[in-house]
Amino acid sequence: MDKEQLYEQLKKVQEPKGYYFNKDKERTLELLESLINNKDRYGYMVCPCRLASGDRENDKDIICPCVYREADVKEFGSCYCNLYVSAQWNEEKIPHEYVPERRPPEKIVF
């Protein structure tokens, strides 16, 4: 699957749930390409904006869409990566603030 196919597939699934891709399509496609690369590397589509451990059990909270997306989009209008956003975020009706990392420090790989 290429990034354009992934874009279309995920768009159909996520938009009805209220999650939209960032209107900056170039950025969105870069992130989707990274998801595909991570799937090739780890066997699962782990968040492209975080370091994965390669241990699926440890990384399950950051398999895209990560478990933090709902709270991030609710509070900031965007997920940590700015891949998934609210309609209001895309329409610039809310500020584009930095989304802080919610992942517990003990799960973060260095």
Side-chain angles (χ1 to χ4, degrees):
M1 177 176 305
D2 70 18
K3 60 189 174 186
E4 290 285 350
Q5 291 170 316
L6 185 59
Y7 179 91
E8 292 303 325
Q9 179 183 344
L10 292 176
K11 184 176 176 171
K12 287 178 194 170
V13 173
Q14 298 301 328
E15 282 190 359
K17 297 176 184 178
Y19 298 104
Y20 300 88
F21 282 134
N22 185 329
K23 69 179 180 178
D24 179 347
K25 192 164 182 187
E26 184 178 335
R27 167 96 172 126
T28 296
L29 291 176
E30 287 173 3
L31 291 167
L32 293 176
E33 184 73 33
S34 295
L35 282 174
I36 292 167
N37 291 340
N38 283 345
K39 183 168 189 196
D40 292 342
R41 183 179 298 131
Y42 302 112
Y44 47 94
M45 288 197 293
V46 68
C47 176
C49 301
R50 294 177 168 106
L51 290 174
S53 68
D55 175 347
R56 187 181 185 103
E57 184 61 27
N58 187 65
D59 293 340
K60 70 181 180 182
D61 62 321
I62 57 170
I63 293 174
C64 189
C66 73
V67 300
Y68 312 106
R69 177 184 73 169
E70 183 177 352
D72 287 348
V73 172
K74 185 175 186 176
E75 185 173 348
F76 298 98
S78 171
C79 73
Y80 184 68
C81 292
N82 303 136
L83 175 63
Y84 289 109
V85 301
S86 67
Q88 295 83 4
W89 193 94
N90 262 343
E91 294 163 4
E92 299 188 27
K93 292 181 178 175
I94 59 173
H96 293 188
E97 297 179 34
Y98 171 76
V99 179
E101 175 64 272
R102 290 181 192 267
R103 193 171 199 218
E106 64 273 10
K107 294 199 89 161
I108 298 174
V109 178
F110 293 100

